[in-house]
Amino acid sequence: MAIGIDNNPFNPGYDVLPPVLAGRDNLKNEVNRRLARTGTGEKNPTAIALIGPRGCGKTALLAWIIKKAEKKKLPVIKLTKQHVQSVEEIQKFLISQVDTKSWLEGLTLGGELKDPFVQLASFKGEYKWGAEATPGDKSRFLESLLAVASTKGLAILIDEAHDMSPEVGHIFYDAAQSAALNNPIMLVIAGTPDLESVLERSHATFVERMNTKRIGRLSWDDTSRALIEPFGNNVTFDDNAKFSILSRTQGYPYFIQHWGSALWDALVRKGVTHVGDEEMKEARKTFDQARHELYNRRLHELDGEGMLAPVAEIAFRIGENGKPSRSDFMAITQKMAYTRDRWEAEEKLLHTGFIWQEGIGNWQFGIPSLATHVRKEAVSMVLDRIKEENALLSFRRIRSYFKLEPLLPTSYLEKNLRTVLKETNQEKLVEKHLAAFSRMGLLVPDPDMSKEHMVLTAPLLTEAVIAEADRLEAKPENEPIQEPTLQSRNEPDDYTPRM
């Protein structure tokens, strides 16, 4: 294929099928077998769950499944976040996908509903539950809908399944499993790493039999296929440039697509068909910008969820070239649980994909090098906010009052902290500063002590913030602050390829 400005096959995005869906071979073979058997009427109630961080290709796999199902002329119903907010929304969407007339004829006898518990009334083409309908009634009704829809076999796909509440999931998944016992239905659900926890809380019976597939980063060979093959035989790669590019993708599918798109455009601009150091450097500028934007989106998401301080603390704890572990996961959820339910804390952390368990005992960063970005950017973000509150002096006093204990922070009586802060000659601002530190997640009530005790949740982050404040204050006024370049700020933690 000729390299042109209008035929770039790479389209970076979370919901786009890449030009080469490399890896996942065992999964694709299994799905192909299930699709074929479902199309011939075979029944299999076991659901397939695709679980992994954003950007690892779960939605792309769903797009691939749809494409394969269409080739086999197997009907597909795909539900997304907007369809799974309530049982009523699921019902409404399923009705739009089913032959409603024949379905209603199957439910009624002489104009009356056969099941007195499932009472529906027609209003402007929509069907609503009767006032006395129970969760069991709703589940049976959805089961009947799925049965009608699967007369010729059916693939049901749910994207962002983590957004389906446990209450809704309990009704829908039980209906889907019951329908699949007697009808040829294949159910595939996809979600971020918190999906397992959400499913457990749904208490749906199918969860115990669910076939879980963890969708993480690609191997070195699969990364090479995904990036190099779409260029075809007309484009050649310098060995050093190729190794450098593949290393910098870190096997992360979202990065692979960005690198491919940037390289393709660089070749078009230069009018060449060989990727060497110059082409790599030009493409890297585009890639670095895209990666920087992604990191900032994730960073502000953490901040908006009140998770910036605990995530930054664990990033400092793991270190520049460290690898996360289960103890890190437990430590960060413990810190988050100071201000919320422990279960909620775990789900929120897993949802971000900051760290997750790719396999038994194998914990990974969901987004490569995000920890490096968090370590560098969280410090300035926290320091800026402290300065906005005119609370730097108070923060220094708080820091001096606590002993640095990353795993077991010491707690202190809140009244003692107030006394310490009053010594800063900012007595009128004590309450304001304490509230500000609490909003930032730096200082919160100690759940293991009385409510009168406070705990410093991020001592390593605190030390880094104070060190940065000291550095800035020590600089001569006429000396400009040298910010790290975009390239160095986004440098991956390591370039070691996964073989």
Side-chain angles (χ1 to χ4, degrees), residues 195-390:
L195 176 58
E196 285 182 293
S197 177
V198 174
L199 290 175
E200 286 178 11
R201 291 198 291 123
S202 75
H203 301 295
T205 54
F206 95 103
V207 173
E208 298 176 359
R209 306 182 190 89
M210 184 174 64
N211 188 357
T212 301
K213 303 294 184 181
R214 299 188 180 277
I215 310 300
R217 298 191 228 171
L218 298 180
S219 69
W220 180 265
D221 288 342
D222 289 332
T223 299
S224 181
R225 280 191 57 214
L227 181 65
I228 305 302
E229 283 189 16
F231 285 92
N233 297 325
N234 294 329
V235 174
T236 56
F237 285 76
D238 175 82
D239 286 343
N240 289 333
K242 178 180 177 181
F243 181 85
S244 181
I245 293 166
L246 292 177
S247 297
R248 283 173 166 80
T249 68
Q250 297 178 277
Y252 185 49
Y254 185 66
F255 285 173
I256 293 170
Q257 295 305 305
H258 268 293
W259 261 111
S261 179
L263 281 171
W264 187 283
D265 289 344
L267 293 177
V268 170
R269 287 193 297 270
K270 295 176 73 68
V272 298
T273 58
H274 178 75
V275 177
D277 286 342
E278 290 303 314
E279 291 72 26
M280 180 198 71
K281 290 176 181 177
E282 182 169 343
R284 186 177 178 182
K285 295 176 184 177
T286 302
F287 170 75
D288 281 346
Q289 183 62 41
R291 182 171 59 176
H292 182 69
E293 292 172 357
L294 170 66
Y295 286 164
N296 274 347
R297 288 197 300 272
R298 297 288 81 84
L299 192 67
H300 285 92
E301 178 185 38
L302 291 171
D303 188 31
E305 292 288 342
M307 297 168 62
L308 181 61
V311 168
E313 180 70 10
I314 215 66
F316 278 108
R317 166 180 160 147
I318 293 171
E320 188 68 27
N321 295 308
K323 181 180 177 180
S325 66
R326 176 168 177 77
S327 64
D328 295 317
F329 176 76
M330 298 304 293
I332 190 172
T333 53
Q334 181 183 30
K335 294 177 184 301
M336 292 170 62
Y338 287 145
T339 56
R340 68 192 81 198
D341 177 79
R342 180 63 178 265
W343 202 306
E344 178 192 0
E346 290 188 5
E347 286 186 7
K348 280 189 173 292
L349 177 58
L350 287 172
H351 179 72
T352 68
F354 179 70
I355 60 176
W356 76 298
Q357 189 171 203
E358 188 176 31
I360 297 177
N362 181 22
W363 287 81
Q364 299 282 347
F365 290 111
I367 300 177
S369 308
L370 179 59
T372 298
H373 190 79
V374 168
R375 280 192 296 269
K376 292 176 179 177
E377 300 297 329
V379 172
S380 60
M381 286 178 66
V382 172
L383 180 57
D384 286 346
R385 290 187 181 171
I386 291 174
K387 287 182 174 179
E388 287 173 4
E389 297 286 345
N390 193 26

Side-chain angles (χ1 to χ4, degrees), residues 112-167:
E112 297 293 330
L113 289 171
K114 291 179 181 179
D115 188 343
F117 296 102
V118 182
Q119 302 174 28
L120 298 176
S122 178
F123 179 70
K124 293 184 179 179
E126 295 184 4
Y127 296 87
K128 298 182 178 181
W129 294 110
E132 298 179 359
T134 68
D137 297 333
K138 296 179 180 182
S139 185
R140 288 198 302 275
F141 182 69
L142 291 179
E143 179 185 343
S144 71
L145 260 178
L146 294 174
V148 171
S150 60
T151 54
K152 297 180 181 179
L154 176 66
I156 305 174
L157 312 180
I158 305 179
D159 201 5
E160 298 184 280
H162 49 265
D163 286 319
M164 185 187 298
S165 72
E167 295 75 22

Side-chain angles (χ1 to χ4, degrees), residues 11-238:
N11 189 7
Y14 289 125
D15 57 353
V16 178
L17 185 63
V20 175
L21 187 60
R24 328 299 187 198
D25 292 339
N26 291 336
L27 170 62
K28 290 189 287 187
N29 289 336
E30 179 179 343
V31 167
N32 262 328
R33 288 193 295 269
R34 288 281 299 273
L35 287 171
R37 292 170 180 172
T38 301
T40 59
E42 183 174 313
K43 304 170 185 64
N44 188 340
T46 302
I48 298 174
L50 311 179
I51 296 178
R54 285 170 289 184
C56 286
K58 300 182 299 299
T59 302
L61 281 165
L62 294 183
W64 179 85
I65 293 173
I66 291 174
K67 187 176 180 181
K68 292 294 181 180
E70 288 174 345
K71 284 186 177 180
K72 299 178 185 296
K73 301 187 184 305
L74 183 68
V76 177
I77 293 179
K78 181 182 178 183
L79 295 97
T80 59
K81 180 177 181 178
Q82 63 180 335
H83 304 126
V84 299
Q85 297 303 305
S86 68
V87 177
E88 288 71 24
E89 285 297 325
I90 294 176
Q91 169 196 292
K92 181 179 177 180
F93 183 70
L94 290 180
I95 288 176
S96 72
Q97 305 295 305
V98 174
D99 182 350
T100 309
K101 182 178 179 181
S102 62
W103 161 64
L104 281 175
E105 289 175 351
L107 280 180
T108 60
L109 179 63
E112 297 293 330
L113 289 171
K114 291 179 181 179
D115 188 343
F117 296 102
V118 182
Q119 302 174 28
L120 298 176
S122 178
F123 179 70
K124 293 184 179 179
E126 295 184 4
Y127 296 87
K128 298 182 178 181
W129 294 110
E132 298 179 359
T134 68
D137 297 333
K138 296 179 180 182
S139 185
R140 288 198 302 275
F141 182 69
L142 291 179
E143 179 185 343
S144 71
L145 260 178
L146 294 174
V148 171
S150 60
T151 54
K152 297 180 181 179
L154 176 66
I156 305 174
L157 312 180
I158 305 179
D159 201 5
E160 298 184 280
H162 49 265
D163 286 319
M164 185 187 298
S165 72
E167 295 75 22
V168 174
H170 178 76
I171 293 172
F172 174 78
Y173 291 131
D174 278 353
Q177 177 169 275
S178 295
L181 287 171
N182 302 300
N183 301 277
I185 295 174
M186 183 177 77
L187 174 62
V188 183
I189 62 178
T192 45
D194 56 318
L195 176 58
E196 285 182 293
S197 177
V198 174
L199 290 175
E200 286 178 11
R201 291 198 291 123
S202 75
H203 301 295
T205 54
F206 95 103
V207 173
E208 298 176 359
R209 306 182 190 89
M210 184 174 64
N211 188 357
T212 301
K213 303 294 184 181
R214 299 188 180 277
I215 310 300
R217 298 191 228 171
L218 298 180
S219 69
W220 180 265
D221 288 342
D222 289 332
T223 299
S224 181
R225 280 191 57 214
L227 181 65
I228 305 302
E229 283 189 16
F231 285 92
N233 297 325
N234 294 329
V235 174
T236 56
F237 285 76
D238 175 82

Side-chain angles (χ1 to χ4, degrees), residues 120 132 352 423 438 466 477:
L120 298 176
E132 298 179 359
T352 68
E423 295 174 2
S438 179
I466 295 298
E477 292 185 3

